[in-house]
Amino acid sequence: MVDSLKKPQFEEVRPGVKSPADETILTPRFYTTDFDEMANMDISINEDELRAILEEFRIDYNRHHFVRDEQFQKSWDNISGDTRKVFIEFLERSCTAEFSGFLLYKELGRRLKDKSPLLAELFTLMSRDEARHAGFLNKALSDFNLSLDLGFLTKSRNYTFFKPKFIFYATYLSEKIGYWRYITIFRHLQQHPEHEIYPIFSYFENWCQDENRHGDFFDALMKSQPQFLNDWKARLWSRFFLLSVFATMYLNDVQRAGFYESLGLDAREYDKFVIKQTNETAGRVFPIVLDVEHPNFYQSLEKCVVNNEKLTAIASSNAPAPIKLLQKLPHYVSNGVELIKMYFIKPIRVDNLAGTVR
Ligand SMILES: [Fe+2]
Ligand SMILES: [Fe+2]
């Protein structure tokens, strides 16, 4: 037990620098896009709203928020064993996700500077926020004698290419789901301060307002491109992105239920709440939302949870690789079937409400 206090069982690339978690379908993604298409986009029909958001970003409400106060000035050896392990994983995943936002927004700010200065400044100011978020999380990792080499991560990770339209769907959802995740933990700990095992959570209230504003920016940006929102393809893609984001989060979090338990939360209840809220929020801009109250929705997700547990068990067994693959195959197929079933649950049209107050 004493050992687990000092050094958690993580691989290090250099002393104190954690080697990044293996990339899987469930780890945070790094994105790149068609910068020319983005630069040539005509945003004039919603320029006023975008300018208003720029003014908000310039005010920089959280300029002085991300400063570590005296609460951090102590040893965290009391967080030990499994809790320490899942806690470090949480910090790493969050840091990687924030940093991935930083990289994308920074690059967009740089590439759009000449052709689309308004968007360029908006992206640059968002990258400012994400750099603070990632930096704050990396600093938290150092309380556990670890850090992430973000330069190495920049060079070594695979980048997923998405056309601008898909970048908008994906980043809009990740900002809004990020908002709901942070605020839900914050409010829970406000009511149950006995579960606040580490001071970072008390920063989440102002922090998540950054994510909320970033989400509002993508909302306004998508509304400047109504062709991305108002046809049958938009409805199919919205469905796809909502489902992938919700399913990925659910599978990740249920797998890490121990982390939520350490905060006094039930991973499933927490996720269901976050999914419900994010889905509702998405209805302000997406033409459809998912019917997450449909009884088959969580039933299918739970089947994927079971498949994933089996896949993890197979992966860590000693069987030869070809045998493992054969053993895994039926679970992959079953996951595919369940996801398709969820995809075909009739979504809820909300675009007919466009123009009304939602
Ligand atoms: Fe962020
Ligand atoms: Fe953000």
Short mmCIF file of all heavy atoms in Angstrom, two decimals, residues 206-243:
data_model
loop_
_atom_site.label_atom_id
_atom_site.label_comp_id
_atom_site.label_asym_id
_atom_site.label_seq_id
_atom_site.Cartn_x
_atom_site.Cartn_y
_atom_site.Cartn_z
N ASN A 206 -16.26 28.67 -13.02
CA ASN A 206 -15.88 29.69 -14.00
C ASN A 206 -15.30 29.06 -15.27
O ASN A 206 -15.49 29.55 -16.37
CB ASN A 206 -14.83 30.62 -13.42
CG ASN A 206 -15.41 31.50 -12.33
OD1 ASN A 206 -16.32 31.08 -11.61
ND2 ASN A 206 -14.92 32.70 -12.22
N TRP A 207 -14.58 28.01 -15.04
CA TRP A 207 -13.92 27.26 -16.12
C TRP A 207 -14.96 26.83 -17.16
O TRP A 207 -14.79 27.04 -18.36
CB TRP A 207 -13.25 26.07 -15.48
CG TRP A 207 -12.45 25.14 -16.32
CD1 TRP A 207 -12.61 24.81 -17.63
CD2 TRP A 207 -11.33 24.37 -15.84
NE1 TRP A 207 -11.68 23.89 -18.00
CE2 TRP A 207 -10.88 23.61 -16.92
CE3 TRP A 207 -10.69 24.26 -14.61
CZ2 TRP A 207 -9.80 22.73 -16.81
CZ3 TRP A 207 -9.62 23.39 -14.51
CH2 TRP A 207 -9.18 22.64 -15.59
N CYS A 208 -16.05 26.24 -16.69
CA CYS A 208 -17.03 25.70 -17.63
C CYS A 208 -17.74 26.82 -18.38
O CYS A 208 -18.29 26.59 -19.45
CB CYS A 208 -18.02 24.77 -16.94
SG CYS A 208 -19.25 25.59 -15.96
N GLN A 209 -17.69 28.04 -17.84
CA GLN A 209 -18.28 29.15 -18.60
C GLN A 209 -17.47 29.42 -19.86
O GLN A 209 -18.02 29.86 -20.87
CB GLN A 209 -18.39 30.42 -17.74
CG GLN A 209 -19.37 30.29 -16.58
CD GLN A 209 -20.75 29.79 -17.00
OE1 GLN A 209 -21.20 30.02 -18.12
NE2 GLN A 209 -21.42 29.08 -16.10
N ASP A 210 -16.16 29.18 -19.81
CA ASP A 210 -15.35 29.26 -21.04
C ASP A 210 -15.89 28.27 -22.07
O ASP A 210 -16.11 28.62 -23.23
CB ASP A 210 -13.88 28.91 -20.77
CG ASP A 210 -13.10 30.04 -20.10
OD1 ASP A 210 -13.56 31.20 -20.14
OD2 ASP A 210 -12.01 29.76 -19.54
N GLU A 211 -16.11 27.03 -21.62
CA GLU A 211 -16.58 26.01 -22.57
C GLU A 211 -17.96 26.37 -23.12
O GLU A 211 -18.25 26.16 -24.30
CB GLU A 211 -16.63 24.62 -21.93
CG GLU A 211 -15.42 24.19 -21.10
CD GLU A 211 -14.09 24.24 -21.82
OE1 GLU A 211 -14.03 24.70 -22.97
OE2 GLU A 211 -13.09 23.82 -21.19
N ASN A 212 -18.78 26.92 -22.26
CA ASN A 212 -20.11 27.31 -22.70
C ASN A 212 -20.03 28.40 -23.77
O ASN A 212 -20.71 28.34 -24.79
CB ASN A 212 -20.91 27.81 -21.49
CG ASN A 212 -22.40 27.67 -21.71
OD1 ASN A 212 -22.85 26.85 -22.53
ND2 ASN A 212 -23.18 28.48 -21.00
N ARG A 213 -19.15 29.38 -23.55
CA ARG A 213 -18.98 30.43 -24.56
C ARG A 213 -18.41 29.86 -25.86
O ARG A 213 -18.82 30.26 -26.95
CB ARG A 213 -18.05 31.53 -24.02
CG ARG A 213 -18.73 32.50 -23.07
CD ARG A 213 -17.80 33.65 -22.68
NE ARG A 213 -16.77 33.22 -21.73
CZ ARG A 213 -16.93 33.28 -20.40
NH1 ARG A 213 -18.02 33.77 -19.88
NH2 ARG A 213 -15.96 32.86 -19.60
N HIS A 214 -17.46 28.93 -25.74
CA HIS A 214 -16.90 28.31 -26.96
C HIS A 214 -18.02 27.60 -27.73
O HIS A 214 -18.08 27.68 -28.95
CB HIS A 214 -15.81 27.30 -26.62
CG HIS A 214 -14.63 27.89 -25.90
ND1 HIS A 214 -13.65 27.13 -25.32
CD2 HIS A 214 -14.27 29.18 -25.68
CE1 HIS A 214 -12.73 27.92 -24.77
NE2 HIS A 214 -13.10 29.17 -24.97
N GLY A 215 -18.86 26.89 -26.99
CA GLY A 215 -19.98 26.21 -27.65
C GLY A 215 -20.90 27.21 -28.33
O GLY A 215 -21.35 26.98 -29.46
N ASP A 216 -21.16 28.33 -27.65
CA ASP A 216 -22.03 29.35 -28.26
C ASP A 216 -21.41 29.92 -29.53
O ASP A 216 -22.11 30.28 -30.47
CB ASP A 216 -22.28 30.50 -27.26
CG ASP A 216 -23.21 30.05 -26.14
OD1 ASP A 216 -23.89 29.01 -26.32
OD2 ASP A 216 -23.25 30.72 -25.09
N PHE A 217 -20.09 30.02 -29.54
CA PHE A 217 -19.42 30.47 -30.75
C PHE A 217 -19.69 29.52 -31.91
O PHE A 217 -20.06 29.94 -33.01
CB PHE A 217 -17.90 30.61 -30.52
CG PHE A 217 -17.11 30.59 -31.79
CD1 PHE A 217 -17.12 31.68 -32.66
CD2 PHE A 217 -16.37 29.46 -32.15
CE1 PHE A 217 -16.41 31.66 -33.86
CE2 PHE A 217 -15.66 29.43 -33.35
CZ PHE A 217 -15.69 30.53 -34.21
N PHE A 218 -19.56 28.21 -31.66
CA PHE A 218 -19.81 27.26 -32.76
C PHE A 218 -21.29 27.25 -33.16
O PHE A 218 -21.62 27.05 -34.33
CB PHE A 218 -19.32 25.85 -32.39
CG PHE A 218 -17.83 25.72 -32.48
CD1 PHE A 218 -17.05 25.62 -31.34
CD2 PHE A 218 -17.19 25.75 -33.72
CE1 PHE A 218 -15.66 25.54 -31.43
CE2 PHE A 218 -15.82 25.66 -33.82
CZ PHE A 218 -15.04 25.56 -32.67
N ASP A 219 -22.15 27.47 -32.21
CA ASP A 219 -23.57 27.61 -32.49
C ASP A 219 -23.77 28.77 -33.49
O ASP A 219 -24.41 28.61 -34.54
CB ASP A 219 -24.30 27.87 -31.16
CG ASP A 219 -25.79 28.10 -31.31
OD1 ASP A 219 -26.18 28.90 -32.18
OD2 ASP A 219 -26.58 27.52 -30.54
N ALA A 220 -23.17 29.93 -33.17
CA ALA A 220 -23.31 31.09 -34.05
C ALA A 220 -22.66 30.85 -35.41
O ALA A 220 -23.18 31.27 -36.45
CB ALA A 220 -22.68 32.32 -33.38
N LEU A 221 -21.53 30.16 -35.39
CA LEU A 221 -20.83 29.89 -36.64
C LEU A 221 -21.65 28.96 -37.54
O LEU A 221 -21.77 29.17 -38.75
CB LEU A 221 -19.46 29.27 -36.32
CG LEU A 221 -18.49 29.05 -37.48
CD1 LEU A 221 -18.25 30.33 -38.26
CD2 LEU A 221 -17.15 28.52 -36.97
N MET A 222 -22.25 27.94 -36.95
CA MET A 222 -23.09 27.03 -37.75
C MET A 222 -24.30 27.77 -38.30
O MET A 222 -24.72 27.53 -39.42
CB MET A 222 -23.52 25.82 -36.91
CG MET A 222 -22.41 24.79 -36.76
SD MET A 222 -22.98 23.24 -36.04
CE MET A 222 -22.93 23.63 -34.31
N LYS A 223 -24.84 28.70 -37.50
CA LYS A 223 -26.00 29.45 -37.99
C LYS A 223 -25.62 30.40 -39.13
O LYS A 223 -26.49 30.83 -39.88
CB LYS A 223 -26.66 30.21 -36.84
CG LYS A 223 -27.47 29.26 -35.97
CD LYS A 223 -28.16 29.95 -34.82
CE LYS A 223 -28.92 28.91 -34.00
NZ LYS A 223 -28.95 29.23 -32.57
N SER A 224 -24.33 30.70 -39.25
CA SER A 224 -23.90 31.51 -40.40
C SER A 224 -23.81 30.63 -41.66
O SER A 224 -23.62 31.14 -42.76
CB SER A 224 -22.55 32.17 -40.12
OG SER A 224 -21.49 31.25 -40.32
N GLN A 225 -23.91 29.34 -41.48
CA GLN A 225 -23.84 28.39 -42.61
C GLN A 225 -25.09 27.51 -42.60
O GLN A 225 -25.01 26.30 -42.35
CB GLN A 225 -22.60 27.49 -42.49
CG GLN A 225 -21.29 28.21 -42.25
CD GLN A 225 -20.93 29.17 -43.37
OE1 GLN A 225 -20.91 28.79 -44.53
NE2 GLN A 225 -20.68 30.43 -43.03
N PRO A 226 -26.26 28.09 -42.88
CA PRO A 226 -27.49 27.30 -42.75
C PRO A 226 -27.49 26.04 -43.61
O PRO A 226 -28.17 25.07 -43.28
CB PRO A 226 -28.60 28.27 -43.16
CG PRO A 226 -27.93 29.47 -43.73
CD PRO A 226 -26.52 29.48 -43.27
N GLN A 227 -26.70 26.04 -44.68
CA GLN A 227 -26.64 24.84 -45.53
C GLN A 227 -26.08 23.64 -44.77
O GLN A 227 -26.24 22.50 -45.19
CB GLN A 227 -25.83 25.11 -46.80
CG GLN A 227 -24.31 25.20 -46.64
CD GLN A 227 -23.82 26.55 -46.11
OE1 GLN A 227 -24.59 27.38 -45.66
NE2 GLN A 227 -22.50 26.77 -46.16
N PHE A 228 -25.41 23.90 -43.62
CA PHE A 228 -24.89 22.79 -42.79
C PHE A 228 -25.96 22.25 -41.85
O PHE A 228 -25.73 21.28 -41.13
CB PHE A 228 -23.70 23.25 -41.93
CG PHE A 228 -22.44 23.55 -42.71
CD1 PHE A 228 -21.35 24.12 -42.07
CD2 PHE A 228 -22.33 23.25 -44.06
CE1 PHE A 228 -20.18 24.40 -42.76
CE2 PHE A 228 -21.16 23.53 -44.77
CZ PHE A 228 -20.08 24.10 -44.11
N LEU A 229 -27.11 22.92 -41.81
CA LEU A 229 -28.09 22.57 -40.78
C LEU A 229 -29.46 22.19 -41.31
O LEU A 229 -30.27 21.62 -40.59
CB LEU A 229 -28.28 23.75 -39.81
CG LEU A 229 -27.07 24.19 -38.99
CD1 LEU A 229 -27.38 25.49 -38.25
CD2 LEU A 229 -26.67 23.11 -38.00
N ASN A 230 -29.74 22.56 -42.58
CA ASN A 230 -31.15 22.50 -42.96
C ASN A 230 -31.53 21.46 -44.01
O ASN A 230 -32.57 21.58 -44.61
CB ASN A 230 -31.63 23.90 -43.39
CG ASN A 230 -30.85 24.40 -44.59
OD1 ASN A 230 -30.13 23.63 -45.23
ND2 ASN A 230 -30.99 25.69 -44.91
N ASP A 231 -30.68 20.46 -44.23
CA ASP A 231 -31.12 19.44 -45.19
C ASP A 231 -31.08 18.05 -44.56
O ASP A 231 -30.72 17.89 -43.40
CB ASP A 231 -30.30 19.51 -46.49
CG ASP A 231 -28.83 19.23 -46.25
OD1 ASP A 231 -28.46 18.95 -45.08
OD2 ASP A 231 -28.04 19.30 -47.20
N TRP A 232 -31.48 17.06 -45.34
CA TRP A 232 -31.54 15.70 -44.78
C TRP A 232 -30.17 15.19 -44.36
O TRP A 232 -30.03 14.45 -43.41
CB TRP A 232 -32.22 14.75 -45.78
CG TRP A 232 -31.49 14.64 -47.10
CD1 TRP A 232 -31.66 15.44 -48.20
CD2 TRP A 232 -30.46 13.70 -47.46
NE1 TRP A 232 -30.80 15.06 -49.20
CE2 TRP A 232 -30.06 13.99 -48.79
CE3 TRP A 232 -29.84 12.63 -46.78
CZ2 TRP A 232 -29.07 13.27 -49.45
CZ3 TRP A 232 -28.84 11.91 -47.45
CH2 TRP A 232 -28.47 12.23 -48.77
N LYS A 233 -29.13 15.65 -45.09
CA LYS A 233 -27.79 15.20 -44.72
C LYS A 233 -27.41 15.74 -43.33
O LYS A 233 -26.81 15.04 -42.52
CB LYS A 233 -26.75 15.68 -45.75
CG LYS A 233 -26.76 14.86 -47.02
CD LYS A 233 -25.67 15.32 -47.98
CE LYS A 233 -26.17 16.53 -48.76
NZ LYS A 233 -25.25 17.06 -49.75
N ALA A 234 -27.79 16.98 -43.10
CA ALA A 234 -27.50 17.58 -41.79
C ALA A 234 -28.18 16.79 -40.67
O ALA A 234 -27.62 16.58 -39.60
CB ALA A 234 -27.95 19.04 -41.76
N ARG A 235 -29.40 16.33 -40.97
CA ARG A 235 -30.12 15.58 -39.94
C ARG A 235 -29.43 14.24 -39.66
O ARG A 235 -29.29 13.82 -38.52
CB ARG A 235 -31.58 15.37 -40.35
CG ARG A 235 -32.36 16.69 -40.38
CD ARG A 235 -33.85 16.46 -40.42
NE ARG A 235 -34.32 15.94 -41.70
CZ ARG A 235 -34.57 16.69 -42.77
NH1 ARG A 235 -34.41 17.99 -42.72
NH2 ARG A 235 -34.99 16.14 -43.91
N LEU A 236 -28.97 13.60 -40.73
CA LEU A 236 -28.28 12.32 -40.54
C LEU A 236 -26.95 12.50 -39.81
O LEU A 236 -26.61 11.74 -38.91
CB LEU A 236 -28.04 11.63 -41.89
CG LEU A 236 -29.30 11.14 -42.62
CD1 LEU A 236 -28.91 10.42 -43.91
CD2 LEU A 236 -30.12 10.20 -41.75
N TRP A 237 -26.21 13.55 -40.21
CA TRP A 237 -24.91 13.76 -39.57
C TRP A 237 -25.06 14.21 -38.11
O TRP A 237 -24.26 13.82 -37.26
CB TRP A 237 -24.07 14.78 -40.35
CG TRP A 237 -23.44 14.17 -41.57
CD1 TRP A 237 -23.70 14.50 -42.87
CD2 TRP A 237 -22.46 13.12 -41.60
NE1 TRP A 237 -22.95 13.72 -43.71
CE2 TRP A 237 -22.18 12.87 -42.97
CE3 TRP A 237 -21.81 12.37 -40.63
CZ2 TRP A 237 -21.25 11.90 -43.37
CZ3 TRP A 237 -20.88 11.41 -41.02
CH2 TRP A 237 -20.62 11.18 -42.39
N SER A 238 -26.05 15.03 -37.82
CA SER A 238 -26.27 15.44 -36.43
C SER A 238 -26.52 14.22 -35.56
O SER A 238 -25.98 14.09 -34.46
CB SER A 238 -27.48 16.36 -36.30
OG SER A 238 -27.34 17.48 -37.12
N ARG A 239 -27.34 13.32 -36.10
CA ARG A 239 -27.62 12.08 -35.39
C ARG A 239 -26.34 11.31 -35.12
O ARG A 239 -26.11 10.81 -34.03
CB ARG A 239 -28.48 11.22 -36.32
CG ARG A 239 -29.78 10.82 -35.78
CD ARG A 239 -30.64 10.48 -36.95
NE ARG A 239 -31.14 9.13 -36.86
CZ ARG A 239 -32.04 8.62 -37.70
NH1 ARG A 239 -32.51 9.36 -38.69
NH2 ARG A 239 -32.45 7.40 -37.56
N PHE A 240 -25.54 11.21 -36.17
CA PHE A 240 -24.30 10.46 -36.06
C PHE A 240 -23.38 11.05 -34.99
O PHE A 240 -22.84 10.35 -34.14
CB PHE A 240 -23.57 10.43 -37.42
CG PHE A 240 -22.21 9.82 -37.37
CD1 PHE A 240 -22.06 8.44 -37.37
CD2 PHE A 240 -21.08 10.62 -37.28
CE1 PHE A 240 -20.80 7.86 -37.29
CE2 PHE A 240 -19.81 10.05 -37.20
CZ PHE A 240 -19.67 8.67 -37.21
N PHE A 241 -23.21 12.37 -35.02
CA PHE A 241 -22.28 12.99 -34.08
C PHE A 241 -22.82 12.95 -32.65
O PHE A 241 -22.07 12.71 -31.70
CB PHE A 241 -21.92 14.42 -34.51
CG PHE A 241 -20.82 14.43 -35.54
CD1 PHE A 241 -21.10 14.44 -36.90
CD2 PHE A 241 -19.49 14.38 -35.14
CE1 PHE A 241 -20.08 14.42 -37.84
CE2 PHE A 241 -18.46 14.36 -36.08
CZ PHE A 241 -18.76 14.38 -37.44
N LEU A 242 -24.11 13.19 -32.50
CA LEU A 242 -24.69 13.10 -31.14
C LEU A 242 -24.46 11.70 -30.58
O LEU A 242 -23.99 11.53 -29.46
CB LEU A 242 -26.19 13.40 -31.18
CG LEU A 242 -26.56 14.89 -31.30
CD1 LEU A 242 -28.01 15.04 -31.77
CD2 LEU A 242 -26.37 15.62 -29.98
N LEU A 243 -24.76 10.70 -31.40
CA LEU A 243 -24.62 9.32 -30.93
C LEU A 243 -23.17 8.99 -30.61
O LEU A 243 -22.87 8.41 -29.57
CB LEU A 243 -25.20 8.34 -31.96
CG LEU A 243 -25.08 6.87 -31.59
CD1 LEU A 243 -25.81 6.58 -30.28
CD2 LEU A 243 -25.64 5.98 -32.71
#
